Amino acid sequence: MENESIRTLLTRRSIRKYKPEHISEEEMEIILEAGKYAPTGKGTQCTKFVVIRNKAVRDTLSAMNAEILGTTGDPFYGAPDVIAVFANSAATKTWVEDGSLALGNLMNAAHALGIGSCWINRARQTFGSPEGRAMATAWGIPESYEGIGYCILGYTDGEEPSPKPRKEDFVIYVD
Ligand SMILES: Cc1cc2nc3c(=O)[nH]c(=O)nc-3n(C[C@H](O)[C@H](O)[C@H](O)COP(=O)(O)O)c2cc1C
C-alpha cells in the first residue's frame, strides 16, 4: 500500500550529521504544531517546548550533556536547532509518555519535511541540576516541569542511514 504518512513513519532515521544552517522559521512552526497535537493522557496538554536557536545556549546545553555522558564531543552532532521537551510531572501520571509522544511527533514531522532529527537523551539530568534548573526558570518553565529529551534538528549533511533489520518477535497475535 502506498501511503505518504506510513512511508514517513517507516523511513525516518536518527540523523547525526548536519549542515550548519538553521531550518526555516516556517519549517520550525510546522514541526512544533505537530508536537502540540500529540496525544496526552487525559488530554492534559502537559508538555512544553523550548526552541533553542541561540548558538551559545545550544553549546552550553551540549557541554552539560557531554559532561553527564562523560565525553568531550558534541552530543548534539553539530545540529543547529534544538527543541528541549519538558512535561509537567505534577499534572499527570503519564508525563513521561506524553513528552515522549510529543518528541515522536516532532521527529516524524521533521522527516515529513525532509529535515533531519534525532532524540538526544539526558534532558532530565540536565534540567534537574541547579544550573539547568536556573536556565529553565529563566525561560519560564515552572518547577514541576521535567526534561524529557531533546529533538535536535537541521538539514542533513549527506547521511542516509539504513534501518536495522527488525526483530522477528515484535508481534504476537492473539486470535
Ligand atoms: C529515548 C531515546 C533516547 C535516545 N537518546 C539518544 C542519544 O542520546 N544520542 C543519540 O545519538 N541517539 C539517541 N537516540 C536515538 C536512537 O539511538 C535511535 O532511535 C535508534 O538507534 C534507532 O535508530 P533510528 O532512529 O534511526 O531508527 C535515542 C532514542 C530514544 C527513543
Side-chain angles (χ1 to χ4, degrees):
M1 185 182 67
E2 255 313 300
N3 177 285
E4 196 60 19
S5 303
I6 300 294
R7 198 186 63 80
T8 298
L9 294 174
L10 296 184
T11 57
R12 179 217 53 80
R13 298 274 74 79
S14 293
I15 298 301
R16 299 186 175 89
K17 201 160 179 246
Y18 294 91
K19 293 182 176 162
E21 298 85 43
H22 292 283
I23 66 169
S24 74
E25 281 182 29
E26 190 194 357
E27 288 164 332
M28 181 64 86
E29 287 308 317
I30 294 168
I31 292 167
L32 292 166
E33 202 66 5
K36 284 185 209 168
Y37 277 83
T40 50
K42 294 188 179 164
T44 53
Q45 299 184 29
C46 67
T47 56
K48 281 189 188 292
F49 310 137
V50 177
V51 181
I52 297 138
R53 285 188 281 209
N54 178 292
K55 187 165 171 9
V57 176
R58 176 233 177 269
D59 289 350
T60 299
L61 289 173
S62 168
M64 291 165 80
N65 204 303
E67 195 178 334
I68 295 165
L69 199 53
T71 64
T72 51
D74 173 18
F76 293 163
Y77 303 109
D81 299 305
V82 178
I83 303 173
V85 175
F86 291 82
N88 187 357
S89 62
T92 161
K93 288 185 177 137
T94 60
W95 59 279
V96 176
E97 291 87 340
D98 297 340
S100 302
L101 270 175
L103 246 146
N105 269 25
L106 296 174
M107 294 188 292
N108 284 315
H111 180 53
L113 300 178
I115 292 164
S117 72
C118 186
W119 177 319
I120 304 299
N121 224 11
R122 295 164 294 280
R124 198 179 311 174
Q125 298 96 308
T126 298
F127 295 109
S129 72
E131 186 188 354
R133 186 59 246 168
M135 293 170 85
T137 300
W139 299 331
I141 303 292
E143 284 279 334
S144 58
Y145 281 71
E146 298 206 36
I148 299 293
Y150 302 97
C151 177
I152 59 168
L153 293 165
Y155 300 123
T156 306
D157 190 11
E159 195 196 11
E160 286 184 19
S162 300
K164 283 197 183 142
R166 297 295 103 171
K167 293 180 180 173
E168 297 285 342
D169 57 354
F170 256 105
V171 182
I172 295 165
Y173 289 96
V174 179
D175 290 325

